[in-house]
Amino acid sequence: PMGSERMEMRKRQMSTTQETPGAAQAQHSTGSRGSNACCFCWCCCCSCSCLTVRNQDEERARRTSHELQAEGIPNCEESPAPTLEEVSAWAQSFDKLMLTPAGRNAFREFLRTEFSEENMLFWMACEELKQESNKSVIEEKARLIYEDYISILSPKEVSLDSRVREVINRNMLEPSQHTFDDAQLQIYTLMHRDSYPRFMNSAIYKDLLRSLSEKSIEA
């Protein structure tokens, strides 16, 4: 009986020894596949993620470019170079500055440095609206002005009080050339009182004045 038990134990040990490499090999193979699968999935996910981000960035760039083209806002108004007399007159009053395209261009350049260029853009859009006579064009331009400068969702929203906003909302029911008159006056006053004094002391104005003065002396 003892011999039989030893033989039985030996058979079990041999059986276990034979099974172990196979099991280990199977486990290694499974682990490798698992590792490869994880690696492949990670690479795939990473690749997809990178492609998604890259595609989103490209789409955003295309959309931004398209929106800028659709706006059609020129970098500056066409105007002849200002004379020394004109530039000197800008210091006399804000009205004289705003009367000339060159003055508006210089002031707009200054507003851009203060991140308030939307005030000038809004004022100019209102002036353009006043020149229209076609009803459908007026309605379309009024809608665009509202979306660009009045809507609280717009990044170019101008600062208006609640009373003026209520007036605009009423006027938008039947848009006309004068839908934004109150708002335009408020923004004009804001630029006059807030930005104009700083513009007169800015390097943009002083450098332009000095340059024209030097040219005048040389002439």
Side-chain angles (χ1 to χ4, degrees), residues 161-171:
D161 61 37
S162 58
R163 180 193 66 82
V164 171
R165 286 185 175 276
E166 289 175 3
V167 171
I168 292 174
N169 289 334
R170 287 198 302 269
N171 290 342

Side-chain angles (χ1 to χ4, degrees), residues 28-29 31 61 73 90 99 120 135-136 141 148 156 202 218:
H28 176 72
S29 176
I73 297 174
W90 298 347
L99 277 175
M120 177 64 81
K135 189 174 185 296
S136 61
K141 286 193 173 184
D148 284 344
K156 296 184 293 184
S202 70
E218 291 175 358

Side-chain angles (χ1 to χ4, degrees), residues 193-212:
R193 294 178 178 175
D194 185 57
S195 304
Y196 173 64
R198 290 197 298 275
F199 169 70
M200 297 312 303
N201 291 313
S202 70
I204 290 176
Y205 177 71
K206 290 181 177 180
D207 289 348
L208 178 59
L209 187 63
R210 182 173 59 253
S211 174
L212 292 173

Side-chain angles (χ1 to χ4, degrees), residues 176-217:
S176 72
Q177 300 101 317
H178 305 288
T179 293
F180 304 100
D181 280 4
D182 287 353
Q184 186 186 21
L185 177 59
Q186 189 168 97
I187 293 302
Y188 188 90
T189 303
L190 175 65
M191 291 191 293
H192 182 190
R193 294 178 178 175
D194 185 57
S195 304
Y196 173 64
R198 290 197 298 275
F199 169 70
M200 297 312 303
N201 291 313
S202 70
I204 290 176
Y205 177 71
K206 290 181 177 180
D207 289 348
L208 178 59
L209 187 63
R210 182 173 59 253
S211 174
L212 292 173
S213 296
E214 292 173 354
K215 289 181 180 178
S216 177
I217 294 174

Side-chain angles (χ1 to χ4, degrees), residues 7-41:
M7 289 293 295
E8 188 65 23
M9 288 177 64
R10 190 171 297 160
K11 287 179 180 179
R12 289 177 184 174
Q13 288 175 353
M14 291 177 64
S15 176
T16 302
T17 304
Q18 289 174 354
E19 288 176 2
T20 300
Q25 184 177 0
Q27 184 177 1
H28 176 72
S29 176
T30 303
S32 298
R33 284 199 301 271
S35 175
N36 288 339
C38 291
C39 180
F40 174 78
C41 290

